[in-house]
Amino acid sequence: IDLITVEYVYSDLDAKSAAISYRISEYGTIDDSLIQYIENKYSVTFVCTGNCSPMFGDEVEYRISKTIDPIIISNSELTLSISRVAIIGYYG
């Protein structure tokens, strides 16, 4: 059951990252209002990990994560996270 949950959450994060990358690219910068929007809309924790004040054409590195409560794998919560890159001004 835990492995299925982990796979589901990972797949969900991967799918959300595509939409988040598009939003970042369209928005053009990373600020508190965008971070709050992403966290509320996609139910993830968002952290900018590189080039958080980009210019047009720059890459923005970020990490999104979600916490799960496994039954067997661990007695404590696990945080799954993925790192992605968005290019400012690129919508494809």
Side-chain angles (χ1 to χ4, degrees):
I1 292 174
D2 288 342
L3 293 178
I4 292 170
T5 303
V6 168
E7 180 59 33
Y8 173 78
V9 171
Y10 178 82
S11 295
D12 186 51
L13 287 172
D14 191 42
K16 288 177 179 178
S17 72
I20 290 169
S21 290
Y22 179 83
R23 288 282 179 216
I24 293 169
S25 180
E26 182 180 52
Y27 195 77
T29 190
I30 303 290
D31 61 15
D32 291 336
S33 65
L34 179 64
I35 292 171
Q36 186 177 30
Y37 171 81
I38 289 170
E39 290 183 340
N40 290 335
K41 178 163 175 99
Y42 299 103
S43 300
V44 296
T45 301
F46 179 92
V47 177
C48 182
T49 58
N51 194 16
C52 300
S53 299
M55 302 295 284
F56 185 82
D58 286 349
E59 293 181 347
V60 175
E61 299 171 12
Y62 67 92
R63 183 177 60 241
I64 55 173
S65 58
K66 188 162 185 110
T67 302
I68 62 170
D69 203 9
I71 298 171
I72 298 171
I73 293 176
S74 176
N75 291 333
S76 60
E77 291 181 331
L78 294 177
T79 301
L80 298 176
S81 64
I82 60 173
S83 297
R84 294 291 185 263
V85 173
I87 301 173
I88 300 301
Y90 178 73
Y91 303 132

